[in-house]
Amino acid sequence: MPAGFCHEIIVQVSRAALWSFFSEIRVEDVHNVPREGPLIVAATHHNMVVDPAVLSVGFPYKRRLHYWAKNSLFKNPYARRFLLDCGVVPVDRTTKNNAQLYAATFDVLRLGETVAVFPEGTSHTLSRLGQFKDGVSFAALEYNKLIANAPPNAEGVRPQPADILPVGIVYPQKSKYRSAAIIRYGKPLSVQPHMALYHQDPKAAAKALTLEIEKAIEQLTVNAMDWETRDAAEVLRWLLFPGEDIMEDYIDLTQSLITALTEHAKHTPDIARLQESLRVYKLELTALSLTDAHIAHYTERDITPFATTVRLLRRAAASLIDLPLFLPGLVAHLPLYVAGYCGGKFEVYEEVRAQNKIFFGLLLVPLIYLGSFVWAWSLLSEHTFLGFLLTLATLGVFVWYHVASVDEKYAHWKDLVERWRLFDAVVLGRGMWRRKQRVLELKTLRDYQVVHVRQWVAAHRSEPDLARVWAALHARVCRLQGAKSHKKREQLQQYKWCYED
């Protein structure tokens, strides 16, 4: 039962929706994905329906993914036809017999297709992987058991065994508009080493295979014992690699920082105190609605009324220059942005927010574009054919410009807002809770952390995890050395502490 036309429509709609929400969907280690043959994909599940959408769009070689659904959804013949055409596979949860439970899955695998499963079962917002269930293992083991002595088909071809492909889907800021998603593919896992045990003790074999899958996926993702440690490691990354929002080596570096910080904090009181101060720093940034980038600008200088005023005026002037071209697209898309903001703001569970924002976008975008077209067509030419073509071309230009420049303009807007917040606190002195004093204390705290973090990394750079961080720092230095642009020379200055060491 290969996926049909409906599946292709869903994939293309998902591609457009994800393209509008994420600034980047990065795919890593594609060479680990087999080009053909039956395959069971085991992926992480942190972001509700966004996960299968990201996985389907980012899966290489034009291979289409089938997903499980309970068989009660297939009772209606029209629903059954639609779901099967979408590539959905029924699972009979009323039986304990694995051969019957996964019968439709086995039919798909015999055709050399790919089935994607989320072993954690439900979406979550944990600082690490959730508890893995054994469904993927039982399906893989039972399938390979059934085909062991299966006769060849009409063409004389025997069914091929199915491997398990571990996949990590990582979101640095999973509910944020114009954030990133990273898909990393691990090496396929063969189930053959577990088959002998499966014939003797199916549950023990499934548990062992599940543990192997979990360990493989753990190597592809970012995991910490708690959010306090993960938040502290995130601040470490900001301090060591300033200005890099979406790093090319985000997963490896973040995990190395988490591991090193966890181990050192256990045995060194100074590092434990540093870890706590890093967490406090992030909490204060969140409370003041600021980011590290704006505090980092004042490294080696003071936060003064004059400096904050000049920086605000510079950004405001640059924004006013861009405004005439960007404003029409902004006004047209404003209902979409407002709906997305509300969809995220009033949702309690973070793993649902991105889903809500994308869903509102899918509903509103056709209405916005159709309404804008009809209004412009009537305004420009009173519904003439020439006006139709002119309106289509004009609207197309504005939509293209808005989409092509939305990342830059959105970054400028956030920058402008945060410069205003600094100006409001430092110059106007408005607000409760000692906002000006808190900003200045935040600057002092960051200066203290930068010194101690750099000393810590330099002193322990021979250890495996911090050696990886040190190598990444020197890779930045090599890339920036000899740069002619003023911006890159400024970036190089931020790393002088490690190449002058």
Side-chain angles (χ1 to χ4, degrees):
M1 55 180 81
F5 181 68
C6 290
H7 183 84
E8 293 302 316
I9 292 177
I10 291 174
V11 170
Q12 296 310 318
V13 171
S14 298
R15 190 185 307 277
L18 295 174
W19 173 69
S20 66
F21 184 80
F22 292 109
S23 62
E24 179 185 4
I25 298 179
R26 185 188 306 159
V27 182
E28 299 179 355
D29 299 334
V30 176
H31 61 275
N32 286 327
V33 182
R35 290 180 175 270
E36 56 185 21
L39 191 65
I40 299 177
V41 174
T44 52
H45 200 17
H46 294 269
N47 217 356
M48 293 296 285
V49 76
V50 178
D51 289 328
V54 167
L55 190 58
S56 294
V57 168
F59 207 74
Y61 313 131
K62 297 183 178 180
R63 299 195 66 169
R64 293 311 185 206
L65 303 179
H66 298 262
Y67 295 93
W68 285 348
K70 57 184 180 181
N71 64 342
S72 59
L73 298 175
F74 292 75
K75 289 183 178 179
N76 184 286
Y78 297 105
R80 177 181 178 83
R81 184 181 303 175
F82 173 74
L83 290 171
L84 292 176
D85 200 55
C86 290
V88 181
V89 179
V91 176
D92 184 5
R93 297 179 179 177
T94 61
T95 180
K96 299 294 184 180
N97 185 305
N98 287 331
Q100 183 178 345
L101 177 64
Y102 304 114
T105 302
F106 300 156
D107 291 340
V108 170
L109 293 174
R110 284 192 181 95
L111 296 173
E113 297 282 312
T114 304
V115 177
V117 187
F118 301 103
E120 294 164 289
T122 185
S123 187
H124 62 85
T125 302
L126 298 174
S127 60
R128 59 191 182 278
L129 296 176
Q131 183 176 359
F132 276 39
K133 296 178 172 57
D134 298 326
V136 175
S137 299
F138 274 119
L141 291 165
E142 187 67 24
Y143 170 76
N144 283 276
K145 174 185 174 182
L146 289 176
I147 67 167
N149 299 312
N153 59 18
E155 299 175 352
V157 179
R158 290 184 179 276
Q160 294 178 286
D163 289 337
I164 297 174
L165 182 72
V167 181
I169 307 175
V170 177
Y171 305 93
Q173 294 178 301
K174 67 180 179 182
S175 63
K176 298 295 184 182
Y177 177 63
R178 306 311 292 168
S179 57
I182 306 170
I183 311 170
R184 175 176 277 190
Y185 296 104
K187 294 181 179 179
L189 304 175
S190 173
V191 302
Q192 293 306 317
H194 301 274
M195 291 307 300
L197 179 60
Y198 186 69
H199 288 287
Q200 300 173 2
D201 189 342
K203 287 187 178 180
K207 292 291 183 185
L209 181 54
T210 299
L211 183 60
E212 185 179 353
I213 295 169
E214 185 174 357
K215 288 181 178 179
I217 293 180
E218 188 175 0
Q219 298 300 314
L220 306 172
T221 52
V222 178
N223 298 278
M225 289 301 297
D226 49 53
W227 274 110
E228 286 77 10
T229 304
R230 187 157 176 175
D231 286 346
E234 191 77 358
V235 177
L236 275 177
R237 187 177 61 82
W238 297 343
L239 302 181
L240 292 169
F241 303 92
E244 294 192 39
D245 293 330
I246 305 173
M247 307 169 65
E248 59 189 19
D249 41 10
Y250 173 84
I251 295 176
D252 290 334
L253 283 181
T254 305
Q255 188 59 56
S256 293
L257 289 170
I258 288 172
T259 305
L261 187 61
T262 301
E263 289 302 313
H264 281 254
K266 288 179 182 177
H267 309 292
T268 310
D270 287 345
I271 301 303
R273 286 190 291 270
L274 177 62
Q275 177 180 343
E276 179 61 22
S277 75
L278 293 168
R279 191 176 71 90
V280 168
Y281 178 70
K282 184 173 184 180
L283 291 173
E284 273 292 271
L285 284 175
T286 303
L288 292 168
S289 300
L290 296 172
T291 62
D292 175 69
H294 287 83
I295 305 298
H297 175 78
Y298 294 95
T299 301
E300 300 180 0
R301 69 190 79 177
D302 294 329
I303 299 180
T304 64
F306 177 77
T308 53
T309 302
V310 170
R311 278 177 53 78
L312 174 64
L313 292 176
R314 283 178 178 173
R315 173 53 63 206
S319 300
L320 286 174
I321 293 172
D322 288 337
L323 192 60
L325 280 177
F326 193 68
L327 185 60
L330 177 62
V331 172
H333 290 84
L334 191 60
L336 175 63
Y337 295 141
V338 172
Y341 173 81
C342 294
K345 186 70 173 179
F346 300 108
E347 174 56 55
V348 176
Y349 299 103
E350 188 179 3
E351 60 266 27
V352 186
R353 291 172 188 166
Q355 171 185 284
N356 289 354
K357 293 176 182 180
I358 293 173
F359 176 73
F360 285 133
L362 288 175
L363 287 180
L364 290 175
V365 162
L367 298 177
I368 289 172
Y369 286 176
L370 181 61
S372 299
F373 177 80
V374 171
W375 174 80
W377 187 19
S378 174
L379 182 68
L380 291 176
S381 61
E382 298 182 354
H383 301 115
T384 64
F385 180 71
L386 181 61
F388 175 88
L389 297 178
L390 178 62
T391 303
L392 193 63
T394 303
L395 188 62
V397 168
F398 276 111
V399 170
W400 168 82
Y401 179 76
H402 182 83
V403 171
S405 60
V406 67
D407 284 334
E408 179 186 5
K409 300 301 184 282
Y410 184 57
H412 288 175
W413 166 253
K414 291 192 295 182
D415 184 42
L416 178 64
V417 169
E418 292 188 16
R419 291 189 190 198
W420 163 257
R421 287 171 179 155
L422 274 178
F423 174 83
D424 190 31
V426 176
V427 178
L428 301 183
R430 300 191 307 167
M432 299 170 63
W433 306 293
R434 303 167 39 250
R435 287 180 65 229
K436 178 179 180 179
Q437 186 62 29
R438 289 171 68 185
V439 168
L440 298 178
E441 289 173 354
L442 210 56
K443 162 72 166 56
T444 303
L445 179 59
R446 189 185 191 280
D447 292 342
Y448 160 83
Q449 291 171 344
V450 166
V451 172
H452 287 78
V453 165
R454 289 175 177 178
Q455 289 175 349
W456 172 59
V457 172
H460 299 277
R461 62 193 182 201
S462 60
E463 298 177 10
D465 289 299
L466 292 181
R468 185 178 292 114
V469 175
W470 190 259
L473 289 166
H474 276 262
R476 267 71 171 176
V477 172
C478 294
R479 190 186 311 158
L480 294 170
Q481 279 180 333
K484 296 181 179 179
S485 71
H486 176 70
K487 183 177 180 180
K488 289 189 175 182
R489 288 200 302 271
E490 278 192 339
Q491 290 176 338
L492 182 60
Q493 283 295 108
Q494 296 173 335
Y495 295 107
K496 68 180 182 180
W497 66 273
C498 63
Y499 69 79
E500 289 181 350
D501 185 80

